[in-house]
Amino acid sequence: MKLSNSKLNSFRACPRKFFYEYICNIEPSELSETEHDRSFGAAIHKALECLYKGQSVDEAKIAFDLAYPKQLDLEDFEKTPENGRKLIEAYWTRYGPQMKDWKVLAVEVLDECELIEELTFRVKLDLIAENLKYGGVYGFDHKTTSKKLDYRYWAQFNPSAQISTYFSYIISKFGSCAGFYIDAMSFGYRKRA
């Protein structure tokens, strides 16, 4: 059996939706808010991948633009191409200088690992890096949202299962795992009066 965190979260949220999506392979007839959110998040991931591979902020913004060529929901004033580019620049201004303390081992890892016999888990890790200052290999998961980062936001995830799986994967590939970071980027839009 093959599982992933997306599949587990889908089943946890709505078993019927899981059945239609993963068992019957039925896709929604029109783009939903979720697809808009995923598209924006995927484009941010493309930009971050460029940055972690040593490319410039300008190259990361181009990668974002290529991955998010048009806004899927024109009523969403938060997830716009302009705001995506601002988010990338603000993120790297804040965290880029800290990268001197990290050695990037892998970016945007898509792999499978067998946790127990006959149970294969699909792993999608955003970043694996070694801390050069303190030692240890760490996993990173990037989340983008326009929601407030409070208990309601985090309640939609099952971080224990996801982090445990990623932790096991990192140990199997790199020999150890010292920890895991969830890097949440929250942003919003305010209308001017």
Side-chain angles (χ1 to χ4, degrees):
M1 176 189 297
K2 290 187 179 185
L3 290 175
S4 69
N5 285 308
S6 298
K7 286 182 180 180
L8 289 174
N9 286 335
S10 178
F11 182 79
R12 195 173 120 221
C14 180
R16 185 175 301 271
K17 180 182 181 227
F18 171 87
F19 175 75
Y20 290 141
E21 186 175 353
Y22 293 105
I23 306 300
C24 300
N25 292 320
I26 297 173
E27 294 185 20
S29 60
E30 56 186 59
L31 289 174
S32 66
E33 179 183 338
T34 303
E35 294 307 312
H36 170 63
D37 293 346
R38 281 187 191 150
S39 179
F40 185 84
I44 293 291
H45 277 251
K46 282 288 184 195
L48 293 175
E49 180 179 0
C50 289
L51 294 171
Y52 288 124
K53 287 183 173 179
Q55 295 177 339
S56 70
V57 172
D58 288 336
E59 291 169 310
K61 288 178 185 179
I62 290 168
F64 171 81
D65 288 338
L66 291 171
Y68 194 69
K70 71 175 190 166
Q71 189 174 334
L72 298 178
D73 181 356
L74 298 177
E75 300 297 316
D76 185 344
F77 299 111
E78 294 160 337
K79 294 176 197 76
T80 65
E82 182 184 359
N83 285 344
R85 289 187 293 274
K86 285 179 182 177
L87 178 63
I88 293 159
E89 185 143 0
Y91 177 85
W92 204 244
T93 297
R94 171 68 176 94
Y95 293 105
Q98 295 177 18
M99 287 308 294
K100 68 179 178 3
D101 294 334
W102 293 91
K103 176 183 175 188
V104 174
L105 302 175
V107 181
E108 292 297 326
V109 174
L110 185 57
D111 202 355
E112 292 182 350
C113 71
E114 189 170 271
L115 297 177
I116 58 173
E117 194 173 319
E118 295 188 30
L119 179 61
T120 303
F121 210 90
R122 185 174 184 219
V123 175
K124 189 173 186 316
L125 261 158
D126 299 334
L127 176 67
I128 302 171
E130 180 181 4
N131 189 295
L132 300 173
K133 194 173 184 180
Y134 302 109
V137 176
Y138 293 80
F140 293 79
D141 188 26
H142 302 298
K143 307 268 187 217
T144 57
T145 184
S146 56
K147 297 175 184 169
K148 188 175 179 184
L149 297 175
D150 61 10
Y151 71 92
R152 289 178 294 249
Y153 175 76
W154 295 107
Q156 68 184 326
F157 302 109
N158 185 358
S160 294
Q162 185 175 7
I163 292 170
S164 296
T165 303
Y166 291 169
F167 200 85
S168 296
Y169 174 81
I170 292 169
I171 289 171
S172 74
K173 296 295 180 183
F174 297 96
S176 69
C177 183
F180 198 86
Y181 289 97
I182 298 178
D183 187 9
M185 294 169 254
S186 178
F187 56 94
Y189 169 79
R190 273 190 235 162
K191 285 184 178 180
R192 298 206 183 270

